[in-house]
Amino acid sequence: MTEPMVRIRGLRKSFGTKEVLCGIDMDVQAGSVMCIIGPSGSGKSTLLSCINHLERIDGGRMWVGGELVGYRERAGKLYELPERKVAKMRARIGMVFQQFNLFPHMTALQNIIEAPIRVKRQPPAEARAKAMVLLERVGLADRAAAFPSQLSGGQQQRVAIARALAMEPQLMLFDEPTSALDPELVGEVLAVMRDLAATGMTMMVVTHELSFAREVGDDLVFMADGLIMERGSPRTVLANPREPRTREFLSRVL
């Protein structure tokens, strides 16, 4: 069996005295889509932030593409990597947040080319050409010169996805990417994510969109209280959950 794209063992994370991740073990196979559901406060977003080393971990190990995330290990102890090496690692992991986090003073095109030019040292002309291809892919080629304030929420999120893809990541993390959108704009973002999944991109998606999880997901994880309570195929878990905590949650959201 090939090495998983993401391998997590014994992951722990606390904020003060509250442990929000209580020993997570997880594998995500390359080219698969894992959807993560669960109540607010269950640790879903923190899990993604740890994978991208936006949060320091308190225990365990994580690997992306076979590389230890955020640390080097010597004699069984972890030592945090310098920021320069963390940034290089993070460039291989795209992340899309609930809020779009676009630079308001930059156009859609400028938002997309900023990191490739600054981090990857891509020539500006090459970065712009690739950015236009990505804008075409997310259906916004005609909005390249628009500023975020001139775009709808759905359009801003599609630009944010294009911005993440511009770094040519191995893995894409989505943290409830449609939760800040008006209902009529959700579909346009999910359509881009469906297209991305169809190309074989490895994706981890924290979502409340259960129909998307059922249709697109290869695996579904239900988290509560910092633990993985249940995991299986999305259709099986959503139709016939084994665990009482999963059944209780689904009864409230389905």
Side-chain angles (χ1 to χ4, degrees), residues 41-186:
S42 59
K44 308 181 302 295
S45 295
T46 300
L47 172 63
L48 295 193
S49 292
C50 288
I51 293 170
N52 210 19
H53 202 62
L54 296 174
E55 294 286 355
R56 292 177 174 87
I57 65 175
D58 296 315
R61 306 283 191 277
M62 295 177 296
W63 297 262
V64 172
E67 183 178 345
L68 190 65
V69 172
Y71 300 88
R72 60 183 174 86
E73 187 169 2
R74 181 186 295 169
K77 291 188 66 176
L78 293 182
Y79 299 88
E80 190 170 17
L81 294 173
E83 181 57 34
R84 175 178 55 83
K85 291 190 176 181
V86 170
K88 185 177 180 181
M89 175 217 74
R90 199 176 280 141
R92 299 186 293 110
I93 305 171
M95 189 157 183
V96 178
F97 299 88
Q98 297 178 37
Q99 302 298 330
F100 322 121
N101 295 342
L102 299 177
F103 295 115
H105 62 289
M106 294 183 178
T107 65
L109 180 65
Q110 290 168 337
N111 266 281
I112 295 169
I113 67 175
E114 177 75 4
I117 291 174
R118 289 186 177 272
V119 178
K120 298 184 74 175
R121 305 295 187 213
Q122 227 172 61
E126 179 184 341
R128 282 192 292 272
K130 290 183 175 181
M132 287 306 302
V133 171
L134 289 170
L135 282 169
E136 179 73 36
R137 183 173 178 180
V138 300
L140 291 172
D142 62 335
R143 305 293 280 156
F147 290 92
S149 61
Q150 299 171 314
L151 300 173
S152 70
Q155 290 172 330
Q156 289 184 63
Q157 192 63 293
R158 285 186 278 158
V159 172
I161 293 172
R163 179 181 60 181
L165 292 173
M167 295 298 286
E168 300 177 334
Q170 293 178 295
L171 169 69
M172 284 286 288
L173 308 175
F174 293 87
D175 186 8
E176 299 190 18
T178 61
S179 65
L181 300 179
D182 292 333
E184 66 269 21
L185 302 178
V186 168

Side-chain angles (χ1 to χ4, degrees), residues 14-54:
S14 297
F15 294 107
T17 60
K18 181 173 176 57
E19 191 171 35
V20 295
L21 295 175
C22 308
I24 299 293
D25 294 323
M26 178 185 290
D27 287 344
V28 182
Q29 298 301 321
S32 70
V33 177
M34 172 178 282
C35 294
I36 305 170
I37 64 172
S40 178
S42 59
K44 308 181 302 295
S45 295
T46 300
L47 172 63
L48 295 193
S49 292
C50 288
I51 293 170
N52 210 19
H53 202 62
L54 296 174

